[in-house]
Amino acid sequence: MPSPMPVPLELRLPEGWHAASPERVGVPDAAFVAVHAQPDEGFTANVTVDSAYRPDAATLAEIGDESVRNLSGVAESLNLTSRHEIGSAAAPGLTQTLTLTTVVRGVLRELAQSQVCLSLLDVHDPDRRMVVRLILTTTAAQHDDLLEDFRDIVATVHPAN
């Protein structure tokens, strides 16, 4: 069962992407998954979306560090290659890019991930903070080609009406 979003979100997918069942793709904790139509050497690039209320005082950099630690548990090698703060004080965000080697369905893969964490405050209760995480996972070879699509997806994320 996909994890429900604390606040429903909407996004648009560019051509070549389609929604998929989180269970079918193997990420049952994701609230949303999109997959790319063109696999690379048997690996299908995907975008996962999840979110959670974060009542703690963790910074987005600390939340990014948590994500790296969690991924290190399944990676044979893992490198954080870039990290940047984005957005504004009212709507802060964090981007980070990682390269990793891991086994996927019995095959050792060189993968790349671009992660975006967005912090959204409840307009009725500013002490309630939701962090939305969008993650693009591709083969290392396909990452640069699909990064602009991922940026387009991130740019369309907004609370559902």
Side-chain angles (χ1 to χ4, degrees):
M1 180 76 150
S3 299
M5 300 288 273
V7 173
L9 298 175
E10 293 180 351
L11 56 81
R12 282 192 316 271
L13 297 174
E15 188 174 326
W17 291 87
H18 64 274
S21 163
E23 292 82 14
R24 185 181 71 85
V25 179
V27 284
D29 292 337
F32 177 80
V33 175
V35 295
H36 193 260
Q38 299 295 321
D40 181 36
E41 296 188 17
F43 182 84
T44 302
N46 60 81
V47 173
T48 60
V49 181
D50 61 30
S51 69
Y53 276 114
R54 291 296 300 242
D56 60 355
T59 66
L60 287 177
E62 291 168 336
I63 292 169
D65 290 342
E66 288 174 10
S67 185
V68 172
R69 277 192 305 277
N70 291 341
L71 193 55
S72 70
V74 297
E76 292 193 16
S77 68
L78 176 66
N79 294 303
L80 176 64
T81 60
S82 71
R83 178 181 279 176
H84 304 282
E85 291 185 15
I86 59 171
S88 64
L94 178 87
T95 66
Q96 58 187 23
T97 303
L98 304 101
T99 57
L100 62 142
T101 304
T102 190
V103 175
V104 179
R105 293 183 182 92
V107 177
L108 188 64
R109 302 268 183 197
E110 298 291 326
L111 301 178
Q113 265 196 4
S114 288
Q115 301 181 354
V116 175
C117 295
L118 304 172
S119 182
L120 305 172
L121 295 180
D122 185 322
V123 293
H124 302 293
D125 183 0
D127 291 333
R128 289 178 48 109
R129 173 179 65 150
M130 181 176 77
V131 174
V132 177
R133 190 173 59 148
L134 297 98
I135 301 171
L136 168 69
T137 305
T138 68
T139 62
Q142 203 175 26
H143 187 260
D144 289 346
D145 293 337
L146 297 180
L147 187 56
E148 195 60 37
D149 283 355
F150 181 59
R151 290 178 178 146
D152 290 346
I153 293 168
V154 171
T156 69
V157 172
H158 63 277
N161 292 331

